[in-house]
């Protein structure tokens, strides 16, 4: 067995080692979380810069588009004016092309009032109408509304699918429609500046990190600082679209064969992401961890030495001193005093031990005093298997109702005493704990068995049991009829209906005495009490099986039949109630004998455990029976 010093030292080493490991693990986790957070912040800042640049480009694009639209309309208006001033130019394609070069437009188309091209810089488009394609249909509303001045968004033209921006308006004399087509070079350049692929080709914040723009529908990489990845699918570089589109701050993945930490955010229909390799992400952790290990180990060694030395000085040495004193007391030296003052706790311990020692000295005197003052008969016995005789106090024979000869026999052989106690255990008192019936007495018996030694206490509880039963009888029984009252009934019904399946076939019968008020008014209340007792006598121990009867109050009674083997047997028993309704008489006194009448209603229990519902149902049927009897004049 180890000494306390050895145990403390061993546990201090174990605890210190565990604490260092836990702290290192915690600090390592915190460092990793910190690196993740910094990576997320860097990604967030970069994404913000990209969004700001995109918003600025969008504003520039909107301004460019609006200026271009106005230019298109002004050009169309100028061409219409020239044609109105000199209609002969419509007969020469070359003249129209000169005008186009002068106005700086790419195409001129002249529509008649039906929406057909009949002149222009491109004869191959002649006879095209506003119904010739989706691009042409945009201008069809002008045929019905000549005030319209329309500019179409940049779209492929009908014939060549070339990106063009068309504008159209009516001439002043409303004789024709001029349509001008221009290649939107400036607009396309402004739009290109807003493409993610263009931005990533210019953007390089951290050369250890790569940035990706991903199509949110297909997973295609549409822009990246790693140009070799542009046009490839995410799966080709080790990422999945589900991982990129998941709603989270960051995740780990192997990108292009290298373990990396990825952060992606949604931008419009696409996703922008920052991918940083773990090698770069965690490059500062090893050096930081090494420094922390050195500091923690140094602190742990110092704490171990200080705590161990303090525990030995203030705890272990004090316990040794207390043990030496206790050993002396255990040897019988009750004059030995303990006085350890190294701490408040040891001072209190010394005081408690001294008080306990004094309590042992006073124990015999206290026990003698207590037993001399009690009015209860308490007996104590003791025996073990190593000695034949049984030792017991003077009250044991009286409590066990023993004759002198029996006392000598039981005390001389513990096996005979054991047999006597075993027989006593065969007479338990129902509802009591460790209480047994002995002749006309009740005794409480408790035993303690330890290391083959039996120590028992016997108490005469006859008066206590009888008084309690008297109280229970006053509480649970109706004094007039001797039946259970409402409280007593509910206690027993709750017990019986706790296991409804054990009741077999049963029925609850609600009973109401008829004509009680008439008897009270005619013959007096004493006669009414006799009438109620006569009715109660009909239901006490009713039927061939088990029953429970009670007076609920006034002229109301209840009868519970149970443990019937079949429903027919139960029905036959209930039928006896009908016979009793009209065939019995009550003798109220020597001169008066009146018919004994009552109404009843019954409810079969089945497997129901809700006796209150059954009582309610039986009560309703009882009142129905009473109304029928009154109506028939019974």
């Amino acid at each position: 067995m180890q000494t306390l010093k050895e145990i403390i030292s061993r546990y201090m080493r174990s605890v210190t080692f565990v604490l260092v490991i836990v702290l290192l693990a915690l600090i390592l986790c915190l460092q990793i979380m910190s690196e993740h957070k910094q990576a997320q912040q860097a990604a967030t800042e970069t994404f913000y810069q990209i969004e700001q640049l995109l918003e600025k480009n969008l504003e520039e694009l909107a301004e460019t588009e609006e200026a271009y639209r106005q230019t298109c309309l002004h050009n169309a208006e100028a061409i219409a004016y020239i044609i109105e001033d000199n209609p002969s130019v419509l007969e020469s394609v070359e003249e129209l092309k000169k005008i186009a070069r002068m106005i700086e437009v790419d195409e001129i188309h002249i529509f008649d009032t039906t929406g057909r091209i009949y002149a222009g810089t491109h004869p191959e488009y002649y006879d095209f109408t506003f119904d010739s394609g989706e691009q042409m249909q945009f201008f069809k509303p002008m045929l019905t509304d000549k005030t319209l001045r329309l500019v179409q968004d940049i779209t492929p033209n009908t014939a060549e699918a070339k990106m063009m921006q068309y504008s159209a308006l009516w001439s002043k004399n409303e004789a024709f429609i001029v349509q001008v087509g221009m290649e939107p070079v400036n607009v396309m350049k402004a739009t290109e500046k807003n493409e993610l692929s263009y931005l990533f080709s210019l953007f390089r914040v951290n050369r250890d990190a790569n940035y990706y723009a991903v199509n949110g529908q297909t997973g295609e990489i549409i822009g990246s600082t790693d140009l070799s990845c542009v046009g490839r699918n995410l799966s080709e570089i080790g990422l999945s679209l589900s991982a990129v589109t998941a709603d989270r701050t960051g995740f780990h993945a192997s990108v292009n064969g290298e373990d990396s930490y990825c952060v992606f955010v949604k931008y419009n229909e696409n996703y922008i992401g920052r991918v940083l390799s773990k090698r770069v992400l965690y490059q500062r952790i090893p050096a930081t961890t090494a420094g922390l290990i050195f500091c923690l180990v140094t602190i742990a060694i110092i704490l171990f030495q200080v705590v161990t030395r303090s525990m030995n000085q203030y705890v272990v040495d004090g316990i040794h001193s207390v043990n030496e004193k206790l050993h002396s007391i255990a040897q019988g030296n009750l004059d030995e005093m303990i006085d350890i003052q190294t701490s408040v706790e040891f001072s209190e311990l010394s005081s408690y031990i001294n008080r306990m020692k004094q309590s042992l000295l006073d124990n015999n005197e206290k026990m003698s005093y207590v037993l001399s003052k009690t009015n209860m008969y308490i007996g104590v016995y003791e025996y073990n298997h190593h000695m034949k005789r049984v030792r017991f106090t003077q009250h044991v024979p009286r409590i066990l109702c023993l004759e002198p000869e029996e006392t000598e026999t039981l005390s001389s052989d513990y096996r005979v005493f054991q047999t006597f106690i075993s027989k006593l255990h065969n007479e338990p008192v129902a509802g009591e704990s460790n209480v047994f019936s002995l002749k006309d007495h009740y005794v409480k018996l408790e035993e303690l068995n330890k290391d083959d030694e039996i120590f028992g206490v016997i108490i005469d509880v006859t008066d206590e049991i009888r008084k309690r039963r008297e109280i229970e009888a006053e509480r649970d029984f109706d004094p007039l009829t001797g039946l259970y009252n409402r409280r007593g009934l509910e206690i027993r019904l709750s017990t019986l209906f706790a296991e409804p399946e054990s009741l077999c076939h049963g029925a609850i019968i609600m009973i109401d005495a008829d004509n009680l008020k008439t008897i009270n008014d005619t013959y007096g209340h004493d006669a009414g009490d006799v009438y109620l007792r006569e009715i109660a006598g009909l239901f006490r121990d009713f039927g061939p099986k088990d029953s429970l009867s009670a007076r609920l109050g006034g002229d109301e009674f209840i009868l519970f039949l149970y443990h019937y083997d079949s429903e027919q047997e139960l029905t036959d028993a209930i039928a006896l109630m009908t016979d009793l309704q009209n065939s019995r008489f009550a003798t109220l006194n020597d001169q008066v004998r009146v018919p004994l009448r009552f109404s009843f209603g019954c409810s079969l229990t089945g497997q129901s455990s809700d006796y209150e519902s059954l009582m309610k149902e039986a009560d309703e049927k009882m009142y129905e029976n009473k109304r029928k009897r009154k109506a028939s004049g019974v």
Side-chain angles (χ1 to χ4, degrees), residues 52-249:
Q52 293 296 310
L53 184 58
L54 287 171
E55 289 178 3
K56 182 178 179 181
N57 290 344
L58 284 173
E59 292 176 0
E60 180 182 341
L61 175 61
E63 292 174 357
T64 303
E65 287 180 343
E66 181 60 29
Y68 211 72
R69 291 168 68 90
Q70 295 301 322
T71 300
C72 287
L73 287 173
H74 290 320
N75 290 340
E77 191 174 14
I79 293 170
Y81 178 79
I82 293 171
I83 294 173
E84 281 185 299
D85 186 61
N86 186 13
S88 61
V89 299
L90 295 177
E91 300 175 0
S92 172
V93 174
E94 290 302 321
E95 287 298 322
L96 289 173
K97 287 183 177 181
K98 288 180 182 180
I99 294 172
R101 287 192 295 272
M102 180 179 63
I103 302 298
E104 295 184 347
V105 298
D106 297 297
E107 297 178 9
I108 298 175
H109 304 292
I110 308 300
F111 291 80
D112 61 20
T113 57
T114 64
R116 181 182 63 85
I117 299 177
Y118 67 93
T121 57
H122 292 67
E124 64 270 23
Y125 293 162
Y126 288 2
D127 293 326
F128 276 34
T129 69
F130 287 145
D131 294 318
S132 296
E134 183 178 353
Q135 180 264 326
M136 298 286 287
Q137 288 179 351
F138 175 80
F139 297 97
K140 190 172 183 179
M142 296 181 66
L143 296 177
T144 56
D145 187 354
K146 295 183 178 181
T147 63
L148 291 177
R149 297 160 62 89
L150 299 181
V151 180
Q152 193 176 35
D153 291 336
I154 300 172
T155 182
N157 65 8
T158 300
E160 303 175 67
K162 182 171 63 174
M163 298 302 294
M164 296 288 290
Q165 187 166 35
Y166 290 96
S167 60
L169 50 76
W170 281 89
S171 62
K172 292 287 186 179
N173 58 12
E174 298 183 356
F176 54 85
I177 297 174
V178 176
Q179 185 186 61
V180 174
M182 299 174 62
E183 289 189 35
V185 178
N186 294 335
V187 176
M188 295 296 289
K189 288 181 178 179
T191 303
E192 185 179 298
K193 289 173 65 178
N194 227 37
E195 294 291 335
L196 291 172
S197 57
Y198 172 78
L199 289 177
F200 280 128
S201 67
L202 302 175
F203 188 68
R204 194 72 175 180
V205 177
N206 183 352
R207 294 194 175 275
D208 294 321
N210 284 318
Y211 293 84
Y212 296 86
V214 181
N215 186 298
Q217 299 295 324
T218 65
E220 180 186 356
I221 300 173
I222 58 177
S224 174
T225 51
D226 185 356
L227 298 178
S228 64
C229 295
V230 178
R232 299 169 67 186
N233 194 278
L234 282 173
S235 59
E236 297 181 50
I237 66 171
L239 289 171
S240 66
L241 185 60
S242 61
V244 167
T245 57
D247 185 14
R248 52 184 171 174
T249 53

Side-chain angles (χ1 to χ4, degrees), residues 269-508:
E269 299 301 322
N270 301 320
Y271 286 84
I272 305 173
R274 181 178 187 267
V275 177
L276 183 65
S277 68
K278 290 184 180 179
R279 171 181 50 81
V280 176
L281 180 65
Y282 301 140
Q283 62 184 357
R284 294 177 295 182
I285 291 181
T288 305
T289 303
L292 287 171
I293 291 174
F294 175 78
C295 294
L296 286 174
V297 171
T298 303
I299 294 172
I301 293 173
I302 295 173
L303 285 175
F304 173 79
Q305 295 295 333
V306 171
V307 173
T308 302
R309 187 182 299 273
S310 299
M311 289 289 290
N312 290 337
Q313 180 178 354
Y314 295 104
V315 178
V316 177
D317 293 344
I319 292 175
H320 278 308
S321 180
V322 171
N323 285 341
E324 290 176 358
K325 299 286 186 178
L326 288 175
H327 179 72
S328 177
I329 293 173
Q331 295 297 320
N333 184 14
L334 298 181
D335 294 330
E336 182 72 64
M337 298 295 293
I338 298 178
D339 187 19
I340 308 299
Q341 302 295 330
T342 55
S343 67
V344 173
E345 288 76 13
F346 273 112
S347 176
E348 292 178 348
L349 179 62
S350 300
S351 174
Y352 294 148
I353 292 176
N354 291 330
R355 289 166 59 185
M356 182 180 66
K357 183 193 67 172
Q358 186 62 41
S359 177
L360 290 174
L361 293 173
D362 298 337
N363 184 61
N364 288 336
E365 182 180 351
K366 291 179 181 179
M367 287 300 296
S368 299
Y369 176 78
V370 170
L371 291 175
S372 67
K373 296 298 181 180
T374 181
N375 293 325
M376 295 183 63
Y377 288 104
I378 302 175
V380 178
Y381 62 84
E382 183 180 9
Y383 65 90
N384 60 54
H385 296 165
H386 304 290
M387 64 181 187
K388 190 175 182 180
R389 292 190 63 83
V390 180
R391 299 191 301 271
F392 47 71
T393 60
Q394 60 180 351
H395 287 315
V396 171
R398 182 187 183 287
I399 296 172
L400 296 180
C401 304
L402 301 177
E403 298 293 335
E405 297 79 8
E406 291 180 294
T407 301
E408 180 61 28
T409 301
L410 293 177
S411 65
S412 61
D413 190 339
Y414 75 86
R415 289 168 295 189
V416 178
F417 188 80
Q418 276 185 329
T419 302
F420 180 87
I421 296 299
S422 297
K423 291 180 179 178
L424 183 60
H425 277 93
N426 292 331
E427 300 293 334
V429 177
E432 301 291 340
S433 176
N434 297 323
V435 176
F436 306 94
S437 176
L438 180 63
K439 298 181 181 179
D440 58 344
H441 287 71
Y442 299 103
V443 297
K444 185 169 186 176
L445 173 62
E446 294 187 4
E447 288 186 339
L448 177 64
N449 190 333
K450 185 178 181 181
D451 298 330
D452 291 332
E453 183 172 342
I454 288 82
F455 179 84
V457 177
I458 302 177
I459 305 174
D460 188 339
V461 292
T462 303
D463 291 341
E464 178 185 344
I465 297 295
R466 288 175 178 171
K467 287 179 180 179
R468 186 164 66 250
R469 289 187 172 179
E470 289 175 1
I471 292 172
E472 290 176 353
E474 293 176 359
R475 181 194 66 189
D476 295 343
F477 287 89
D478 176 45
L480 177 64
T481 62
L483 303 180
Y484 285 114
N485 58 20
R486 183 181 293 272
R487 176 185 175 86
L489 173 71
E490 290 184 352
I491 291 173
R492 282 145 187 85
L493 285 181
S494 297
T495 302
L496 290 172
F497 276 85
E499 298 179 359
E501 64 278 0
S502 66
L503 299 177
C504 301
H505 292 276
I508 286 183

Side-chain angles (χ1 to χ4, degrees), residues 537-554:
L538 296 177
F539 311 128
R540 187 180 291 108
D541 301 325
F542 182 87
K545 299 292 185 179
D546 292 327
S547 66
L548 183 67
S549 54
R551 181 189 177 201
L552 298 182

Side-chain angles (χ1 to χ4, degrees), residues 521-626:
D521 294 342
T522 306
Y523 305 106
H525 287 280
D526 290 341
D529 291 345
V530 173
Y531 188 75
L532 290 175
R533 282 195 291 268
E534 291 285 337
I535 291 179
L538 296 177
F539 311 128
R540 187 180 291 108
D541 301 325
F542 182 87
K545 299 292 185 179
D546 292 327
S547 66
L548 183 67
S549 54
R551 181 189 177 201
L552 298 182
D555 55 359
E556 291 185 348
F557 296 84
I558 186 170
L559 177 62
F560 176 45
L561 307 179
Y562 59 102
H563 287 164
Y564 281 77
D565 297 327
S566 67
E567 187 172 331
Q568 183 59 48
E569 185 182 20
L570 177 63
T571 303
D572 293 341
I574 295 172
L576 295 176
M577 296 288 294
T578 304
D579 295 338
L580 293 175
Q581 269 187 308
N582 304 310
S583 62
R584 294 302 178 98
F585 289 84
T587 303
L588 303 183
N589 53 49
D590 294 340
Q591 291 80 26
V592 179
R593 187 167 182 263
V594 297
L596 194 62
R597 299 291 182 261
F598 60 88
S599 302
F600 76 93
C602 96
S603 175
L604 302 184
T605 60
Q607 293 298 317
S608 174
S609 61
D610 186 3
Y611 65 85
E612 292 180 345
S613 297
L614 295 172
M615 290 172 62
K616 183 177 180 181
E617 180 183 348
D619 195 53
E620 292 173 354
K621 291 182 179 180
M622 181 268 290
Y623 277 107
E624 182 179 351
N625 180 250
K626 181 179 283 292

